[in-house]
Amino acid sequence: MKFVKYIFFILVSSVGLYVLLAYIFMFFPSKNSYTNTPKKQTIYILYSPMHTDIVLNIKSSKVDWNRLLPEVIQGRERGYLGFGWGDKETYLNTPTWDDLKISTALKALFLNTPSILHIGYYRDIHRYQELKEVALTQKQFKYLEQGLKREFDKKPHYEAKGFGKDDAFYTSKRVYNAIDTCNTWSGDRLREANISMSYWTPFSFNVVGAFP
């Protein structure tokens, strides 16, 4: 029993420290250098308690997403594209969070597991309640698009059909673990675009909390 209590204490302490660090990092975000530059572009953060996606307006984009993501965009010239990343097994076998298996979650957290990109098309993003609208400068928007496009520079192959007719999964060479989560991917892409952001964003609230 002492051994069991010891293991339980270590697990609880580790989880507590993990969450505490995530909160602490929010008090020391990166600082962007475009604070006085007019912000004429808009992106969106679509979020849930567990996950974040970066959403772009297709009309504002300078990237030929039709060529890179034909399975998703299907020649459309209007609407929005949502970009997300995460554990491959979780994405492919967990259509809702209620379907998440404990074994899948533990593997994703404590092992380096294969990852996958999830891209979705949205005709109208404003119908979602859990949405953050973020104003960007032209340079920030350009850098963000370049960062997202780099995920496809190695020409990731179409991996699988998505949850519906307007989304799909693409291969990714990254690995998923407790340090590099779906939300750190979002945070990293935003920080690369010189957007003020916590240096480590393992949770959805780390990303969403960076914006008013």
Side-chain angles (χ1 to χ4, degrees):
M1 287 300 297
K2 287 185 178 180
F3 177 76
V4 172
K5 290 180 179 179
Y6 180 71
I7 295 298
F8 179 76
F9 174 77
I10 291 178
L11 290 174
V12 171
S13 299
S14 298
V15 172
L17 179 61
Y18 184 89
V19 176
L20 178 62
L21 286 174
Y23 272 107
I24 290 174
F25 270 92
M26 294 183 69
F27 292 99
F28 306 96
S30 63
K31 300 293 184 181
N32 77 70
S33 57
Y34 303 127
T35 52
N36 297 321
T37 306
K39 296 181 178 181
K40 299 181 178 181
Q41 292 286 0
T42 301
I43 65 164
Y44 303 88
I45 307 298
L46 184 62
Y47 64 93
S48 71
M50 301 292 291
H51 182 79
T52 51
D53 280 346
I54 299 171
V55 183
L56 306 180
N57 189 324
I58 294 173
K59 287 190 67 176
S60 301
S61 179
K62 302 299 182 184
V63 175
D64 186 5
W65 297 114
N66 265 297
R67 179 180 60 84
L68 293 172
L69 307 168
E71 297 85 1
V72 175
I73 199 168
Q74 300 174 16
R76 298 168 172 126
E77 297 181 357
R78 294 177 181 272
Y80 303 84
L81 280 178
F83 297 80
W85 174 87
D87 173 64
K88 182 176 180 178
E89 184 177 344
T90 302
Y91 256 140
L92 295 181
N93 301 320
T94 312
T96 69
W97 290 112
D98 292 336
D99 300 313
L100 181 63
K101 298 177 181 178
I102 294 178
S103 59
T104 300
L106 290 176
K107 282 193 293 185
L109 288 174
F110 296 107
L111 299 175
N112 286 331
T113 59
S115 67
I116 202 168
L117 289 158
H118 178 242
I119 315 300
Y121 169 80
Y122 302 92
R123 186 178 299 276
D124 180 18
I125 197 66
H126 297 92
R127 66 187 182 90
Y128 294 93
Q129 292 186 342
E130 294 179 316
L131 188 73
K132 280 280 187 177
E133 184 173 311
V134 183
L136 302 183
T137 67
Q138 295 287 2
K139 280 189 176 182
Q140 286 175 318
F141 186 79
K142 176 183 176 182
Y143 292 154
L144 178 61
E145 277 206 313
Q146 289 175 344
L148 293 173
K149 183 177 178 292
R150 278 195 294 271
E151 298 292 310
F152 300 90
D153 280 351
K154 302 298 181 182
K155 293 188 176 180
H157 297 290
Y158 168 75
E159 178 81 17
K161 185 178 179 181
F163 303 120
K165 62 183 180 66
D166 291 328
D167 65 315
F169 294 104
Y170 293 83
T171 56
S172 171
K173 292 186 177 181
R174 300 176 184 272
V175 293
Y176 187 98
N177 54 47
I179 304 301
D180 291 318
T181 71
C182 55
N183 297 302
T184 62
W185 183 89
S186 296
D188 289 347
R189 303 291 77 74
L190 294 165
R191 200 182 316 102
E192 286 172 357
N194 207 11
I195 299 166
S196 183
M197 179 66 50
S198 172
Y199 284 101
W200 186 48
T201 57
F203 297 108
S204 173
F205 67 77
N206 293 121
V207 178
V208 176
F211 307 109

